[in-house]
Structures are given as structure tokens and as C-alpha cells.
Amino acid sequence: MACSGLLSNSFIANKCFRPRRHHKLAVPYPRSFSSSRVHLAQNLGISMSMEENGATKQGLDVSRKKLPHVLTVAGSDSGAGAGIQADLKACAARGVYCSTVITAVTAQNTVGVQGVNIVPDEFVAQQLKSVLSDMEVDVVKTGMLPSIEIVKVLQQSLKEFPVRAVVVDPVMISTSGDVLADPSILARFREELLMMADIVTPNLKEASTLLGGMRLETVDDMRRAAKILHSMGPRSVLVKGGDLPESFDAVDVFFDGEEYHELHSPRVKTRNTHGTGCTLASCIAAELAKGSSMLSAVKLAKRYVETALEYSKDIILGNGAQGPFDHFLRLKHNTSTGGTFSGNELFLYAVTDSGMNEKWERPMEVAVKEAIKGGATIIQLREKDAETRKFIETAKACLKICRPYKVPLLINDRIDVALASDADGVHVGQSDMPARVARSLLGPDKVIGVSCKTVEQAHQAWLDGADYIGCGGVYPTSTKANNSTVGLDGLKTICLASKLPVVAIGGINASNAITVLGIGPPNLKGVAVVSTVFDRSSVVGETRKLHSMLTEAVLKAN
Ligand SMILES: Nc1ncnc2c1ncn2[C@@H]1O[C@H](COP(=O)(O)OP(=O)(O)O)[C@@H](O)[C@H]1O
Ligand SMILES: Cc1ncc(COP(=O)(O)O)c(N)n1
Ligand SMILES: [Mg+2]
């Protein structure tokens, strides 16, 4: 049965949920005392017997590593910038499991909140019981608590199922100015919820509301607010200054009852700050779940928010004043290959050489642009002696040239430079980082090529998840000292055995390129050249000449 109408009809909601009880492995709610005893034992570092914590009956292995686990009790944001969705992303990005108890469903986007549908408090209670009774929660983080009843239910659940820490983000008004919690819950917040909090994280407006309208305009005001809020019961207070007027940096004030810490970070110039508060609180909860102290958790969370904002500052999503940001620091990826590499890109593979550029007094960017204009279909930046910082700058500058032409740019050897510049991939030799390790660092989208001289190496490159192999030297070459050659026969043998596309390399020039490409196997996709195009007065001219020769030969062969 479909579970739609969850909010409007709690009867259906219950029905959707109940069948699990009839499932063979379904476990009824454990009695509260056993759950809190397990927690207590874990906190004290005592391992309980399998029989005692009920694991034997379920056939579970208690020696398994326990996942740090945050439960967020918050509202859903349909635009996924804040609320439950931000909490899930923040915890996942910080390597912590996150379960969710949904208190309200909001219709929301970058413009504002268009609607709020509050989940019935009995159903919030049911969600809380389901998770807390079974799933070994370390830290509870609260966000939007839209009614007094829901606050009450939460308090009762936390009494029944104690956790190691409670992070309270007193969400009341969204950054867009929409009211997310009824002002009547303020009293309940002040009287009870703050008492249970290990940390409370109000923004300026929320701190002011909790303090009966106190004006908060300076860092000193924030300090005063933190002190008064602390006297209401939470172990620590973080007053967030994201909205502090006329501040060049983003200042938050932390107070643990003894010491104040002003936490400063550069203020990122961006519209994409929707969900910063939820993210910060979730990240604090995540770090606490991993075992951090409160101050370290807060510092790390702040640094994480700043990093994500900086990364996402130019992202454009939605037409409103407040866009979401990218918790995984990955959305900006724009590869020339679009994540798919066919091998046809290898047709005319130009490998740069800074010595030759110096000789011809040609900056690297100019050499790359000329090669592309002449018809190069892929570029490899080979900088054996460049300083790292210079290499990254050069790679970034060359990427700007390659991207509009959709010509992939690979980095020779240096996975760090490829990562730092967001290049399209790397080419590694047999003594460089193994392709399998490079793959795990670069992820599935980037292109990885491996130099191979034998059938075994070609097979290993395939096993390691490479995209192509470079085979050679075909002929002796001056650009690589003491390089043994495989000759045309070796090239052919390796092509026939290789499951990956092949580019031939080593001593290839205008007079032998057609012979090389003509040896037959269909997975021989192209030739790689260095001096033939770059050790010349006109890079465009030489590349164009080679490109048209090769194209003609291929057309004739077909
Ligand atoms: N533009 C910004 N640059 C850097 N950090 C920011 C920026 N805006 C907010 N922050 C930080 O994000 C966190 C959330 O703060 P804030 O936006 O004030 O809370 P909320 O999202 O609850 O309104 C704080 O650590 C704050 O300093
Ligand atoms: C469901 C939900 N929870 C929390 C917030 C606050 O987030 P922000 O202060 O960044 O607008 C929100 N807008 N929506
Ligand atoms: Mg904010």
C-alpha cells in the first residue's frame, strides 16, 4: 500500500508502518530500561553479554563496530536546503549515520516558506520510539519543533531513552523571515528543553526572542545573551552571528559557563546560506557522536560550514534571495568528458613539454591553445620539474582553455595537482601511484591512463579501473631517457590483449604516425606526440598537418 497521505491520515500512516510487526525478524520495542542500560554500558566502556542486550535472539554480531549515530528531530524542507534534508547531508558528509524524526513538512524554496503541515504529536512520538528503542542513538539534534505537544513528546522520549548528548537548534524563524514555531512554545523551551540541552545554538533573532526581545547588534551583546541563556540550563551556548550587521567576518560566541570563545571565520560573500544553522548544529552533533569535546565539535562544525559556503558561493539554484549550498563539495564538477570516456578522445594526444616551450618562448597556455586549435583531441600536462603551486596554477589556466572546446586535460603523475585543479584526470607510469589508488582518490568520473609495456601491465591497468593505456615507446625518443621500446610488434600484441583503448606513444611523428595507426587492432585509438607539435615554431600548423594526415588515413582505411 502506498504511504501517501501520511499526515492527513494517521490511520493510514499506522497501517503503512505496522506490517513490519508481522515480519519474521521484526522486534517489538525493547523495554526502556534495557535500552538505557545498553547506552549506559557503552558510555562506561562496558561490553554487555550478547544474551543481556538481546543480540543473540536476533542473531546479530555484537562485536560489529558501532556507527556514530545522530537522530535529528526536525522539519522537512522541500527545497532541501535546510531542515531534515540539510541534517542528513551534513551527517553523511561528516561520516556519521543520521536517522530522522519528522515534526513538520514544509513547502519551501529559495524564496521562502509557502506552507507548513505539522505532524500529529502522537506520530512524532511513534517515530521517536521506533528509532530510540532500537537503533543506539548517540546524539539527538533538534531543529523545527512546531508545537508545545511535540516539545513535550520529545522531552518524554529523551527521559525514557537517554542519549549521550542533546543539541538544540531553537529554530523559530527561517532566514527568509517565515515563522516556523509557534511563539507559545517559547515558555516550554525556556522552562524545560534548554535544561536538557548540552548545547543550544540560537541565531541572533532566536537568541533575542528567547530573551524577550533583547537587542543583539554587537559581539558584546552576543556575549551577554550567551551568559543569560546559559543561566537557563544548557551546558553550553553558541550564539551565531551569521546575520550580525556590518561584520566582515562571521563571528559566533561560545560560552560553557566558565569561558567565552569568540569563533571567527571569513564571511563568505554568497547568497547560498540557506540551511547554515541546521548544518552547523548537525555537524556539532556528528562530531559529538564521534567522541569530540564540545568546543572541538563547535570549531570543526564552523570550519565545515565555512568551507562548504566558500565552495558553493557561485552555485545558482532557485530565484529567491537564499540558495542552498553543497554539503559534499562536489556539485560544481564540470568535466570535459561529462563522466564518460569512449577512447575516441585519444586520437591526437598532445603531451606538453615545458623545456620546448621555454626554447620557443611560449607560455604553456599558449602552447595548449595552439595544439587544440590545430586539432589535438586530448592534452596531457607533463611538468617534471615544476613547483607544486606553479603546476596547479598552470593546470587551472590550461583547464580554462580546454573546457570550452571539450578537450580533456590530464595531469602527468600528480594526483594531488589533478585534484587541486579539478583536471579531467591523470596519466600514471608503472612507478607512479598505482591506478587503483588513484581511482579511489579521484572517484569514478575522472579519466585515468596508465603507461604499459607488457600484456600483464595492460591487464593490471584494466583490473585497477583505468580508462586507457599508453603503450610504448614505439620508437626511441629524446623526450624520455633510457626508455626501452616495444616496436610495432609489441604495440600490436598489447593492443590485441588489452581490454582498454590504447594510445601509442614514443618517437611518433608526421612520417610514421600513419604506419603506427595502421597496424590494425580497433582499440588502438590514436597517437601521442610531444616534440612533433611542441618543438616547432608553429604548434597550430604542425598539429593541423598531423590531424589532417591521420583523418585522411582513417577515412581511407574505412
Ligand atoms: N556568509 C557567511 N560566511 C561564513 N560563515 C557564515 C556565513 N553566514 C553564516 N555563517 C555561519 O554559519 C553558521 C550559522 O549561522 P547563522 O546563519 O547565523 O544561523 P541560522 O542559519 O540559524 O540563521 C554560523 O557559524 C555562522 O557564523
Ligand atoms: C524545515 C526547516 N527547518 C529549519 C529551517 C531554518 O533554516 P534557515 O535558518 O537556514 O532558513 C528552515 N528554513 N526550514
Ligand atoms: Mg542562516
Side-chain angles (χ1 to χ4, degrees):
M1 180 206 272
C3 286
S4 58
L6 184 104
L7 285 175
S8 53
N9 188 335
S10 65
F11 174 70
I12 294 178
N14 282 336
K15 268 198 156 171
C16 290
F17 189 63
R18 282 230 169 96
R20 277 206 63 206
R21 294 191 172 191
H22 306 302
H23 191 274
K24 238 187 1 203
L25 287 176
V27 185
Y29 297 127
R31 275 178 300 158
S32 59
F33 80 87
S34 65
S35 164
S36 42
R37 277 185 60 208
V38 172
H39 270 292
L40 206 63
Q42 279 164 352
N43 294 348
L44 298 172
I46 301 164
S47 74
M48 300 181 73
S49 79
M50 283 171 60
E51 197 57 56
E52 225 180 329
N53 68 13
T56 321
K57 283 183 216 129
Q58 297 164 45
L60 300 176
D61 172 11
V62 281
S63 64
R64 72 191 181 193
K65 198 163 171 273
K66 190 192 162 314
L67 280 176
H69 180 175
V70 169
L71 162 62
T72 171
V73 183
S76 157
D77 168 3
S78 55
I84 287 279
Q85 289 81 355
D87 299 341
L88 280 168
K89 286 185 273 187
C91 286
R94 298 301 311 147
V96 167
Y97 189 80
C98 182
S99 53
T100 56
V101 164
I102 300 184
T103 57
V105 179
T106 70
Q108 193 171 169
N109 56 20
T110 62
V111 179
V113 182
Q114 290 82 39
V116 176
N117 198 338
I118 298 178
V119 175
D121 46 297
E122 319 85 70
F123 197 65
V124 173
Q126 199 173 358
Q127 294 177 70
L128 280 163
K129 194 163 187 179
S130 292
V131 178
L132 287 167
S133 66
D134 175 42
M135 294 178 74
E136 299 172 19
V137 173
D138 294 299
V139 179
V140 164
K141 176 252 156 189
T142 71
M144 181 176 172
L145 300 175
S147 71
I148 296 187
E149 290 71 29
I150 288 177
V151 178
K152 270 190 215 161
V153 151
L154 175 65
Q155 282 168 330
Q156 277 156 10
S157 299
L158 288 174
K159 277 181 196 147
E160 197 178 347
F161 302 103
V163 294
R164 278 183 16 216
V166 178
V167 175
V168 173
D169 185 19
V171 171
M172 288 172 195
I173 308 152
S174 76
T175 324
S176 54
D178 298 281
V179 175
L180 296 171
D182 191 306
S184 65
I185 75 156
L186 263 180
R188 191 90 198 180
F189 246 97
R190 289 204 204 99
E191 282 156 25
E192 303 208 38
L193 196 61
L194 292 188
M195 300 289 288
M196 301 185 95
D198 288 273
I199 183 164
V200 60
T201 62
N203 63 20
L204 293 180
K205 272 188 222 152
E206 289 152 356
S208 168
T209 310
L210 283 166
L211 297 173
M214 176 176 170
R215 277 169 81 91
L216 294 176
E217 284 165 359
T218 64
V219 175
D220 280 344
D221 294 343
M222 290 164 70
R223 281 174 168 255
R224 271 191 289 280
K227 189 163 188 182
I228 307 174
L229 285 167
H230 185 265
S231 70
M232 295 176 172
R235 255 142 248 114
S236 301
V237 178
L238 183 75
V239 179
K240 299 172 296 190
D243 299 322
L244 197 68
E246 290 167 31
S247 119
F248 288 111
D249 43 9
V251 194
D252 299 346
V253 171
F254 176 82
F255 182 60
D256 60 8
E258 284 177 12
E259 275 185 280
Y260 289 98
H261 294 267
E262 271 177 32
L263 309 174
H264 292 253
S265 69
R267 177 175 291 277
V268 181
K269 280 206 177 69
T270 176
R271 69 182 266 282
N272 298 328
T273 56
H274 178 52
T276 46
C278 307
T279 301
L280 186 86
S282 290
C283 187
I284 293 172
E287 295 309 312
L288 292 176
K290 288 186 213 164
S292 280
S293 72
M294 187 58 83
L295 183 58
S296 314
V298 170
K299 283 183 175 169
L300 202 141
K302 184 159 171 63
R303 198 200 295 162
Y304 168 66
V305 170
E306 181 214 329
T307 310
L309 289 181
E310 176 64 33
Y311 175 88
S312 315
K313 64 184 175 201
D314 301 322
I315 287 175
I316 297 172
L317 194 60
N319 298 302
Q322 285 237 306
F325 57 93
D326 174 14
H327 291 74
F328 294 99
L329 319 183
R330 292 189 60 87
L331 284 180
K332 267 191 325 192
H333 275 288
N334 56 2
T335 54
S336 296
T337 56
T340 54
F341 183 80
S342 67
N344 293 331
E345 300 85 344
L346 300 170
F347 183 61
L348 180 44
Y349 187 131
V351 183
T352 67
D353 185 297
S354 40
M356 290 172 200
N357 288 339
E358 259 163 49
K359 178 176 157 193
W360 294 95
E361 294 181 349
R362 201 182 277 135
M364 183 65 86
E365 294 92 301
V366 174
V368 166
K369 186 156 199 165
E370 289 196 16
I372 292 176
K373 282 191 163 165
T377 53
I378 188 166
I379 305 284
Q380 184 195 123
L381 275 193
R382 187 163 175 267
E383 289 275 306
K384 287 290 179 194
D385 305 315
E387 286 171 359
T388 304
R389 185 175 296 211
K390 180 84 189 26
F391 198 174
I392 294 169
E393 278 166 18
T394 306
K396 283 186 174 171
C398 291
L399 270 168
K400 277 202 183 128
I401 294 161
C402 292
R403 290 265 150 93
Y405 294 92
K406 294 208 181 316
V407 169
L409 181 87
L410 309 186
I411 307 294
N412 184 265
D413 293 0
R414 298 283 301 268
I415 280 76
D416 57 339
V417 174
L419 281 168
S421 62
D422 197 20
D424 296 304
V426 290
H427 184 91
V428 290
Q430 290 295 325
S431 52
D432 299 322
M433 184 184 287
R436 181 182 289 277
V437 183
R439 173 62 74 211
S440 70
L441 291 173
L442 291 171
D445 300 331
K446 300 287 182 184
V447 178
I448 297 180
V450 183
S451 297
C452 298
K453 283 183 190 297
T454 66
V455 166
E456 292 72 28
Q457 289 171 353
H459 185 64
Q460 190 60 46
W462 176 70
L463 289 178
D464 285 349
D467 293 291
Y468 75 89
I469 63 167
C471 186
V474 181
Y475 302 110
T477 166
S478 57
T479 46
K480 203 159 185 187
N482 310 319
N483 189 24
S484 64
T485 53
V486 296
L488 288 178
D489 287 344
L491 174 65
K492 189 166 183 175
T493 309
I494 293 166
C495 285
L496 288 171
S498 172
K499 294 189 179 70
L500 294 172
V502 183
V503 60
I505 188 162
I508 298 174
N509 54 43
S511 55
N512 61 24
I514 290 172
T515 315
V516 173
L517 211 52
I519 64 164
N523 62 336
L524 178 58
K525 296 287 188 183
V527 291
V529 288
V530 191
S531 35
T532 297
V533 293
F534 289 118
D535 200 5
R536 297 286 187 276
S537 67
S538 168
V539 177
V540 186
E542 294 301 327
T543 318
R544 194 168 283 149
K545 203 157 52 183
L546 195 57
H547 188 269
S548 52
M549 271 173 53
L550 290 170
T551 312
E552 212 174 297
V554 170
L555 288 175
K556 219 183 268 173
N558 290 330

